[in-house]
Amino acid sequence: MGNIIKVDFSGRWSQSLDQLIERHINEETFPGIEVLFAQGPEILLHKTWGRQEVGSDKPMGLNTVFDIASLTKPVVTTSLIMLLQEQGMLDLEEPVATFLPEFGNEAKSKITLRHLLTHTSGLPAWANLYEDSDSFEVARQRLMDISQEVPLDKRVIYSCLNFLLLGQIITEVTHSSLSRFFQHSIREPLSLENTLFSPAKHWKNLSGIAPTQYCPWRKCLLRGVVHDENCYFFGEEAGNAGLFSTALDLHRFCCMLLNEGSLDGITILSPSSVQQIVSNQNQPPLGTRGLGWDFKDVVPGYWSCGFLFPPGAIGHTGFTGTSIWFDPLNQWIAIVLTNRVHLSRDGNLAAMHQFRPRLHNLLLSMV
C-alpha cells in the first residue's frame, strides 16, 4: 500500500454528508446509520447518525451490533470454504453431490462448489423453506429437492440457496456447527469480539444490538435474533445469513483480506486463497463475481459502491441494510451499517438502492 492519505472530513464535504444521511433518516430509509471509512488499517471516518430504533431517543452508538444478513455469505461461508480447501478437505471443482448425495440428481449432479460461490449454479434466487415445514429435516430436504431455474453457467442468479447449501457442506465436512467452526477458525484468531451468531442466546444485555423487524411469523420484534426466516429455521446459523457484527470488527476482517490473509501476525487464509476470492471468476457474457463477493466490472451500470470505487472493487450488501466495499489496489474500505428493515421490509428498498451509491461517491470524492 502507498502512503496513507490524510483526509479532512469537515467543511462543505461534511455538510453534504450530513445532509444526505439526515434526509434519508427523515424519509425513513433507515432509523440510524454507522459509517466507517478507512484506508487499510487507518480509520479516516467513523461516525453515526440517527436513532437505534423507532420510539426511542437512544442514538445509534458507535460499535452498535447489527444483523449483517447476507454479509454472512462472504465473511463466514466463503472464508470457511476456502480454509477447508487449504486443509485438503474439499475442492471447489468437486460436485455438491459429493458432500450432499441427496442433492445431486440429473442435471444438478454437475453443480460444483465453485458454481455455488459464483452464483452460476442456475438455482433460483430464493425459496420459502420454512413455512409449512414441521422440522429442520423437512426444510433441509426441500433445499435438496430444489430444481434449477436455468442450466449451469448460463446466467448469474444471486441465490441464497447456493449459500444455504454451502453452509450444509461445511457442517458435513467439519462435523461441527457453522458457528463453532467460525469461532475457532476466524472469530477468535482475529479477535472479532462482537461478531457471533445468535447473540440473544449468549448475551443477557441486548441493548447494544440494533433491532430489525417485527416478525409476523415469529410474532415479536427481533433483536439479537436473525431476521432471515430460512436461516432461523436452519438453527440461526445457515450459510446465507445469521452473523451479527460491528463496524470495527468488519474493518479488522477487511484488513486481513487486504493484507493477503494475515493480520497482527495471525494467518487466516493463504495469499493464494485471498487472490482467488478477490479475482473475477466468471467469463463473459456472465456477470462478474469474485468467490462469494461481488466484483465491480468496467461495464457501466448500477453499483451499490457508486461510480468512484474503481473496477476490481470487492463488496457485498445485506438485506437488513448493511454493506462492505473495499478496493484491493488503493485499500479503501467502506463499511455501512443500518437496520433499514426496522422501518419496513420492502417499502424503503428503492430509497436504499438510491442512497448506497450516493454515499459511496461522497466518501470517495474526498480522497
Side-chain angles (χ1 to χ4, degrees):
M1 182 176 71
N3 295 329
I4 294 290
I5 297 177
K6 296 298 182 183
V7 182
D8 180 18
F9 290 107
S10 61
R12 187 170 60 183
W13 182 91
S14 179
Q15 184 179 16
S16 296
L17 182 64
D18 289 341
Q19 287 174 347
L20 173 67
I21 290 175
E22 287 166 5
R23 176 167 65 83
H24 277 273
I25 290 173
N26 291 335
E27 293 176 358
E28 298 190 341
T29 306
F30 40 74
I33 184 172
E34 182 168 0
V35 176
L36 188 153
F37 183 59
Q39 187 183 27
E42 184 78 8
I43 295 175
L44 306 174
L45 173 73
H46 188 194
K47 186 175 177 180
T48 64
W49 293 258
R51 298 172 295 162
Q52 191 183 94
E53 61 185 296
V54 172
S56 170
D57 293 330
K58 183 177 182 179
M60 185 70 79
L62 286 178
N63 227 29
T64 294
V65 177
F66 290 85
D67 177 342
I68 64 171
S70 284
L71 299 188
T72 306
K73 293 179 174 75
V75 173
V76 176
T77 312
T78 299
S79 302
L80 294 181
I81 287 288
M82 298 305 287
L83 180 59
L84 289 171
Q85 180 172 247
E86 290 182 11
Q87 295 173 350
M89 299 181 73
L90 52 75
D91 186 272
L92 298 191
E93 310 309 327
E94 291 184 88
V96 173
T98 301
F99 309 98
L100 305 172
E102 62 270 48
F103 173 80
N105 57 64
E106 300 176 352
K108 293 198 306 180
S109 64
K110 296 182 180 180
I111 297 176
T112 67
L113 275 61
R114 181 180 296 276
H115 288 123
L116 300 183
L117 285 166
T118 57
H119 296 289
T120 54
S121 68
L123 294 175
W126 184 81
N128 186 331
L129 304 175
Y130 62 96
E131 282 190 316
D132 302 323
S133 291
D134 57 9
S135 68
F136 162 74
E137 288 74 22
V138 171
R140 186 180 186 276
Q141 191 57 51
R142 285 183 175 180
L143 175 64
M144 299 303 142
D145 293 341
I146 292 288
S147 298
Q148 289 169 287
E149 186 173 300
V150 297
L152 274 178
D153 293 319
K154 293 299 183 183
R155 196 167 86 216
V156 172
I157 301 176
Y158 173 78
S159 173
C160 284
L161 306 179
N162 289 331
F163 277 76
L164 280 164
L165 288 164
L166 287 167
Q168 291 300 298
I169 290 170
I170 292 169
T171 59
E172 288 288 332
V173 170
T174 62
H175 304 290
S176 171
S177 68
L178 196 65
S179 60
R180 191 176 304 115
F181 188 48
F182 173 73
Q183 178 176 337
H184 172 75
S185 303
I186 298 177
R187 181 194 176 195
E188 289 179 350
L190 277 184
S191 299
L192 306 181
E193 297 179 356
N194 294 300
T195 299
L196 74 165
F197 291 88
S198 307
K201 294 180 180 178
H202 303 286
W203 294 350
K204 291 183 179 179
N205 184 0
L206 304 180
S207 62
I209 302 175
T212 53
Q213 187 182 16
Y214 176 85
C215 177
W217 177 55
R218 286 168 276 186
K219 296 180 174 57
C220 65
L221 176 68
L222 304 177
R223 189 194 301 268
V225 178
V226 64
H227 178 262
D228 184 274
E229 293 90 349
N230 279 336
C231 178
Y232 179 80
F233 208 77
F234 275 65
E236 297 190 48
E237 49 179 78
N240 69 315
L243 194 67
F244 288 70
S245 191
T246 63
L248 289 175
D249 278 2
L250 293 172
H251 176 241
R252 283 187 60 79
F253 180 84
C254 291
C255 286
M256 177 273 293
L257 290 179
L258 289 174
N259 200 42
E260 299 186 316
S262 299
L263 189 67
D264 299 336
I266 302 295
T267 297
I268 303 298
L269 293 167
S270 69
S272 58
S273 287
V274 174
Q275 185 58 44
Q276 288 296 306
I277 287 171
V278 302
S279 298
N280 176 38
Q281 302 293 317
N282 292 346
Q283 299 302 312
L286 293 173
T288 52
R289 298 291 305 190
L291 291 175
W293 291 85
D294 205 353
F295 180 97
K296 188 180 181 186
D297 198 358
V298 295
V299 177
Y302 177 86
W303 292 94
S304 65
C305 63
F307 175 74
L308 296 180
F309 260 97
I314 304 297
H316 212 286
T317 61
F319 185 76
T320 50
T322 59
S323 67
I324 296 172
W325 277 96
F326 62 92
D327 169 17
L329 181 62
N330 300 297
Q331 301 220 339
W332 306 122
I333 302 169
I335 297 165
V336 181
L337 302 177
T338 82
N339 54 339
R340 173 195 70 78
V341 293
H342 182 59
L343 299 177
S344 173
R345 184 183 186 95
D346 300 312
N348 49 14
L349 274 173
M352 195 73 185
H353 188 79
Q354 178 196 80
F355 169 76
R356 281 172 163 152
R358 292 184 179 188
L359 173 64
H360 288 85
N361 286 339
L362 257 177
L363 293 174
L364 266 292
S365 70
M366 281 297 293
V367 298

